[in-house]
Amino acid sequence: MRVKIGDIQVLPVWDGVGVEIGADILSRPGVEDPWACHAEHLEADGTLRLPLGGFCVRTGERTVLVDTGVGAFDDGRYVGGDLLSSLADYGIAPADVTDVVLTHLHFDHIGWVTHNGVPVFPRATYRAHRADWEYFVTGDGAQPSAVDKLTPLGTRLELFDADFTVAPGVDARHVPGHTPGSTVYVVSSGGRRAVLLGDVVHSVVQFGERDWEVIWDVDPAAASAVRNRIADQAADTDDLLAAAHFPGMRFGRIVVGDGDRRFVAV
């Protein structure tokens, strides 16, 4: 679904899908079966299907790719490989991408940064938050997937440690919690606004359930605070929110009724 934010076009870019047992990854403290009231968001076998991919933002002469999916990968649960063909469906070749920005450095968001040790987007500048680089690549708990994917970039990768403007109408905002360097990207133009959330949210259920936790949050308390702050700020406004793991990679708004928040896709 193509979305226009003023003069800026935002395109969801599909790469594949991951499958997890919903109750294994998302829980509510002190509640044995938190999904009992939200079974419609799960498959019949209790699994949660997580789309994988990113978003392409076209602003002025810049083509910005926010996250790159899981890549040419198949471990039986996470399967990718479609991101380049999805871009091609929009008429976008790898050489057309001017910027690649990463919300964080988990393996399902950096898969097409490089392929076989070569940068996939030959003209792009790549950017990631320094805190995530130090956590996933150079720290004591470095993850091989991040090291293998990111180190071949060399000087093509620019690390940032402060909020900044990526391109006209595209701003990076640091929101640590899910990971130390987690970053959302705010798209704004013509009085309209959309927020690309990365993994601030894994399921739209988390907008209604304030205390749900996801197993991958490095700092669950901080992640919850960020998630609720963003949702409360967007509530009953025209702001759009989107994340790659949302069903259909759809954008939506936060509405409030009888004190309860919910996500309504557009």
Side-chain angles (χ1 to χ4, degrees), residues 22-249:
D24 288 348
I25 66 167
L26 276 164
S27 62
R28 187 176 188 182
V31 177
E32 183 175 347
D33 185 9
W35 287 96
C37 297
H38 302 287
E40 71 276 12
H41 294 281
L42 299 177
E43 303 299 311
D45 61 358
T47 57
L48 181 65
R49 293 178 62 83
L50 300 170
L52 309 171
F55 294 90
C56 190
V57 183
R58 306 179 94 170
T59 172
E61 298 182 355
R62 305 275 286 279
T63 298
V64 181
L65 183 60
V66 180
D67 287 341
T68 68
V70 74
F73 182 86
D74 183 350
D75 70 353
R77 290 190 306 132
Y78 285 72
V79 180
D82 292 339
L83 186 127
L84 297 184
S85 60
S86 296
L87 284 170
D89 289 342
Y90 294 122
I92 300 170
D96 296 330
V97 176
T98 59
D99 306 83
V100 175
V101 293
L102 302 167
T103 61
H104 64 295
L105 301 186
H106 278 150
F107 80 104
D108 56 323
H109 293 258
I110 62 173
W112 287 105
V113 166
T114 59
H115 184 62
N116 293 331
V118 178
V120 172
F121 303 98
R123 295 181 53 243
T125 298
Y126 294 73
R127 297 182 179 88
H129 199 283
R130 186 179 302 278
D132 259 23
W133 176 266
E134 293 173 350
Y135 186 85
F136 288 102
V137 180
T138 63
D140 292 339
Q143 297 188 2
S145 60
V147 174
D148 292 345
K149 284 292 181 180
L150 294 165
T151 53
L153 291 174
T155 58
R156 299 281 300 281
L157 176 67
E158 295 183 0
L159 301 178
F160 60 89
D161 51 19
D163 295 350
F164 72 103
T165 296
V166 178
V170 183
D171 295 292
R173 297 287 181 262
H174 184 210
V175 289
H178 178 60
T179 67
S182 281
T183 302
V184 299
Y185 292 89
V186 180
V187 180
S188 56
S189 173
R192 299 197 62 201
R193 206 170 88 113
V195 185
L196 305 179
L197 295 168
D199 278 2
V200 166
V201 184
H202 285 76
S203 168
V204 297
V205 173
Q206 291 174 281
F207 286 129
E209 301 286 0
R210 289 180 175 269
D211 58 352
W212 277 35
E213 297 178 353
V214 66
I215 60 171
W216 300 301
D217 285 342
V218 172
D219 184 337
S224 178
V226 164
R227 183 164 50 250
N228 284 304
R229 183 176 74 246
I230 290 174
D232 286 338
Q233 289 173 344
D236 290 336
T237 73
D238 289 331
D239 288 357
L240 298 180
L241 303 178
H245 297 319
F246 286 1
M249 300 181 70

